[in-house]
Amino acid sequence: MRNSVAVKAFMVLAVSAGLFSCNNSKDYKNNSRATGWDINSKEGGFTYNADYDEQDAGPGLVFVEGGTFTMGRVQDDVMHDWNNSPTQQHVQSFYMDETEVTNLMYLEYLDYLKRVYPPSEERYRNIYHGALPDTLVWRNRLGYNETMTNNYLRHPAYANYPVVGVSWIQAVEFSKWRTDRVNELRLEKEGFTLEGARFAAEPGETFNSETYLNAPSKVYGGNDSIVRGGKKADRFMTKDSTNLYVQRKHGVLLPEYRLPTEAEWEYAALALVGIRSYNVYRGRKKYPWDSQYTRSGNAKTRGDQMANFKQGDGDYGGIAGWSDDGADITAEVKSYEPNDFGLYDMAGNVAEWVADVYRPIVDDEFNDFNYYRGNVYTKHAITEDGTVEVLGVDQIEYDTLSNGKIVARNLPGEIKTVPITKEDTYLRPNFNESDNRNFRDGDLSSTRYYDNFEEVNDPNKRMYNSPVHTATVDSTGGASLQYDTSTARTTLIDDNVRVFKGGSWRDRAYWLDPAQRRFFPQDMATDYIGFRNAMSRVGSKSLKKNKTAKN
């Protein structure tokens, strides 16, 4: 009895002293859990953003909480494509544009390029011209569409309509530009860079996010009065001035804007977050809205179409006066109700580019987490003095696409990248080469130990032996375009065709199913394919309860 009383007394004292506390009484916000040293102390030492809460949603983005879902077609395969068998996949949380990129958003991009890289100067001409959408996609040999050809991109009546005529390559370049402009403004608003710096850009004196993180003294052409001209530029500076710039560890800069992967796009379109039905969870949901039909069942809107698509032969919008979907070509963004993630037009209006290289198979046996085909791993080019190589105004490289169009591969102020080498991946178990676009896609040349490079490069011996058209442009601007006239070609699939998802104003309801997938050459454009951006989520899977998902 005495021992029992003594033990109880000891336990009370121990708990009071914190010896057996279930919760750690220290939050280690301002000192190290590893060493006990102070963080961000005035005496110097390690600096860190101890006040970081969680990632903000970038402009235009909404939060999409990740999870598992059935990716692929579960409805009847009436087209007999056999290219999208259902697989169970898991997608991490991310952010996504609530609408497609609009004409107004894209015109802002074009205006920036025209201002910073004047096309009147010959060495910059193809930067601007290479970014221009193809407005001729509206033309039809047996149709009169000149109104859209002349007005759709630039007329204010179409400002908030989704941009079209943009190739996959152009969409990727827009995403890079958007990343830099958003982060540039964040640094300025936080007081790290000079106020108004974004309006003083000149060729070779622009801001690039990766350059700032890896060689901050080289952004804005090395003008330190701009880079460190803000009122709070010294917020994270240590006593010995070793930390002069914002770094990744401070959490100020956002991850890159990019095209969503096919898995992300399909997951976001389905929006299972608002559904708790077992059949829907197992993949039985047909559209972004909660219905098996394209018309609304809501009492107030009963019979209204839920998306903009082709109703039937010669019917793109119904009878005048009581239109079925309110549009004949594209519709203004937000014309229809959003899905349960808050995303608009994930079915209809325009189909959308996604990041993936197209292959008929989705190899879930190899990977079922953040599935994506198209990885090409590169690294920063390093100079002889050990620093990253930042491209100057005379180092712009251009690509001539298969259709003869010239686009800029890089811009001044960016870090030069090179492919990783076999030495970089020596004894690495998860990847062993730079280009992984054709990894495990069904042909012999994609296997790990296949080394017959001569056969790999012979289009007559490849499984995906698509036509190889060539286009070259000489120094005078003269183009030489050569079609591949071989009769040995058996497919249109190669490493340069990309997936696009979702139905469009030109498509029947069959294509509104988020699981549907089609492909198109990455350097070509149409009047029915647009795009929207995504951004990876860093940190927790879910938003904190006191935070909002919208910006």
Side-chain angles (χ1 to χ4, degrees):
M1 178 66 71
R2 290 181 178 177
N3 290 339
S4 176
V5 172
V7 169
K8 290 182 178 179
F10 172 74
M11 291 294 290
V12 171
L13 291 173
V15 171
S16 299
L19 297 178
F20 297 104
S21 175
C22 294
N23 297 316
N24 196 326
S25 61
K26 288 185 68 66
D27 59 11
Y28 290 101
K29 182 178 180 180
N30 295 311
N31 61 346
S32 168
R33 191 185 299 271
T35 63
W37 287 27
D38 289 342
I39 294 175
N40 301 325
S41 66
K42 296 180 179 180
E43 290 74 19
F46 182 63
T47 64
Y48 200 75
N49 186 2
D51 295 324
Y52 183 82
D53 188 8
E54 67 173 340
Q55 181 179 346
D56 297 325
L61 303 178
V62 296
F63 177 69
V64 178
E65 183 173 346
T68 185
F69 78 112
T70 301
M71 179 180 176
R73 183 189 297 109
V74 294
Q75 313 297 328
D76 293 337
D77 186 10
V78 299
M79 299 295 289
H80 299 288
D81 288 334
W82 303 108
N83 73 339
N84 200 11
S85 300
T87 66
Q88 196 70 20
Q89 297 286 341
H90 190 98
V91 174
Q92 279 188 296
S93 298
F94 62 101
Y95 297 85
M96 198 170 193
D97 268 332
E98 62 176 348
T99 72
E100 302 100 339
V101 171
T102 64
N103 286 319
L104 184 60
M105 294 167 68
Y106 203 87
L107 285 175
E108 185 182 5
Y109 168 52
L110 294 177
D111 178 76
Y112 179 91
L113 293 181
K114 192 172 186 178
R115 176 166 52 87
V116 178
Y117 305 102
S120 57
E121 296 187 33
E122 185 175 353
R123 61 176 174 170
Y124 300 138
R125 184 172 304 155
N126 287 317
I127 294 178
Y128 177 74
H129 289 171
L132 286 171
D134 183 4
T135 58
L136 300 184
V137 295
W138 289 105
R139 285 182 170 170
N140 187 302
R141 284 169 289 189
L142 293 178
Y144 181 74
N145 297 328
E146 291 305 290
T147 299
M148 281 82 79
T149 300
N150 296 327
N151 295 285
Y152 184 81
L153 175 64
R154 298 184 183 275
H155 197 284
Y158 294 112
N160 290 315
Y161 284 58
V163 67
V164 297
V166 175
S167 69
W168 183 92
I169 291 176
Q170 290 173 316
V172 169
E173 292 304 313
F174 170 88
S175 306
K176 295 178 181 177
W177 167 85
R178 188 178 181 185
T179 301
D180 293 336
R181 303 293 72 76
V182 168
N183 280 332
E184 184 176 31
L185 180 59
R186 285 177 69 88
L187 287 174
E188 184 179 325
K189 283 187 172 181
E190 290 290 325
F192 292 106
T193 57
L194 185 67
E195 185 176 354
R198 64 191 187 279
F199 298 118
E202 297 289 342
E205 299 179 5
T206 56
F207 175 88
N208 177 265
S209 300
E210 279 300 308
T211 303
Y212 183 86
L213 289 171
N214 292 275
S217 62
K218 296 184 179 181
V219 295
Y220 295 117
N223 188 338
D224 203 54
S225 64
I226 295 178
V227 182
R228 294 188 40 75
K231 297 179 181 179
K232 299 180 181 179
D234 299 333
R235 189 186 311 173
F236 298 121
M237 189 173 70
T238 57
K239 182 179 180 181
D240 59 358
S241 301
T242 56
N243 181 22
L244 298 177
Y245 307 95
V246 173
Q247 300 175 25
R248 201 181 300 273
K249 66 181 180 180
H250 298 133
V252 175
L253 300 186
L254 291 176
E256 64 176 352
Y257 282 82
R258 55 178 174 78
L259 291 181
T261 66
E262 180 179 5
E264 286 175 333
W265 193 99
E266 188 171 329
Y267 176 83
L270 282 171
L272 302 179
V273 65
I275 302 298
R276 294 297 180 264
S277 166
Y278 175 79
N279 286 334
V280 171
Y281 170 74
R282 298 306 301 171
R284 296 300 174 185
K285 190 176 183 184
K286 188 174 184 179
Y287 298 117
W289 50 88
D290 185 18
S291 174
Q292 294 292 309
Y293 307 99
T294 63
R295 294 185 182 274
S296 172
N298 187 287
K300 294 183 179 180
T301 58
R302 190 179 304 278
D304 289 353
Q305 291 288 5
M306 301 292 289
N308 174 22
F309 64 98
K310 184 177 180 180
Q311 314 289 312
D313 289 344
D315 184 358
Y316 290 84
I319 299 174
W322 49 286
S323 176
D324 278 338
D325 62 20
D328 41 26
I329 55 169
T330 57
E332 188 173 5
V333 298
K334 295 190 177 183
S335 294
Y336 306 91
E337 291 297 315
N339 69 7
D340 287 334
F341 277 130
L343 302 171
Y344 294 84
D345 293 322
M346 295 301 285
N349 214 16
V350 291
E352 299 178 18
W353 290 114
V354 296
D356 295 57
V357 169
Y358 177 83
R359 288 294 187 271
I361 59 173
V362 173
D363 188 1
D364 65 317
E365 293 183 0
F366 189 83
N367 182 44
D368 57 5
F369 181 76
N370 285 348
Y371 190 90
Y372 167 64
R373 177 179 292 280
N375 283 312
V376 179
Y377 299 120
T378 60
K379 61 182 180 180
H380 295 156
I382 305 299
T383 61
E384 293 182 357
D385 62 2
T387 60
V388 294
E389 181 178 350
V390 178
L391 299 172
V393 292
D394 297 323
Q395 294 176 286
I396 306 173
E397 297 180 354
Y398 296 95
D399 281 335
T400 302
L401 307 181
S402 62
N403 57 6
K405 191 166 187 175
I406 302 175
V407 297
R409 184 189 305 171
N410 51 51
L411 293 176
E414 295 181 2
I415 297 176
K416 182 178 180 180
T417 58
V418 294
I420 61 170
T421 65
K422 292 291 184 181
E423 289 73 20
D424 296 322
T425 62
Y426 179 65
L427 292 183
R428 179 175 289 279
N430 52 334
F431 67 98
N432 69 333
E433 59 187 357
S434 175
D435 191 343
N436 296 273
R437 289 176 295 179
N438 67 351
F439 178 70
R440 284 175 62 101
D441 63 356
D443 64 344
L444 179 63
S445 63
S446 69
T447 57
R448 184 179 179 92
Y449 300 107
Y450 190 77
D451 292 325
N452 190 345
F453 296 107
E454 181 178 355
E455 184 171 336
V456 173
N457 294 324
D458 186 345
N460 293 307
K461 297 180 180 179
R462 289 186 286 110
M463 177 178 178
Y464 297 102
N465 62 340
S466 58
V468 181
H469 307 303
T470 58
T472 57
V473 177
D474 59 29
S475 58
T476 64
S480 174
L481 309 177
Q482 296 182 344
Y483 289 100
D484 184 346
T485 59
S486 171
T487 59
R489 303 291 175 253
T490 60
T491 181
L492 294 175
I493 301 172
D494 61 23
D495 289 344
N496 298 309
V497 297
R498 300 285 171 166
V499 179
F500 69 93
K501 302 280 284 184
S504 74
W505 65 275
R506 278 195 176 275
D507 293 313
R508 299 290 189 96
Y510 173 80
W511 296 105
L512 301 185
D513 183 346
Q516 301 293 356
R517 61 198 304 257
R518 291 174 282 180
F519 65 88
F520 204 71
Q522 67 181 25
D523 54 5
M524 297 178 66
T526 74
D527 61 356
Y528 60 88
I529 300 179
F531 70 101
R532 72 179 75 208
N533 283 144
M535 178 185 290
S536 298
R537 163 83 171 174
V538 294
S540 61
K541 177 179 181 289
S542 304
L543 287 178
K544 295 182 180 179
K545 292 183 179 180
N546 63 339
K547 296 283 284 188
T548 179
K550 277 193 176 184
N551 224 15

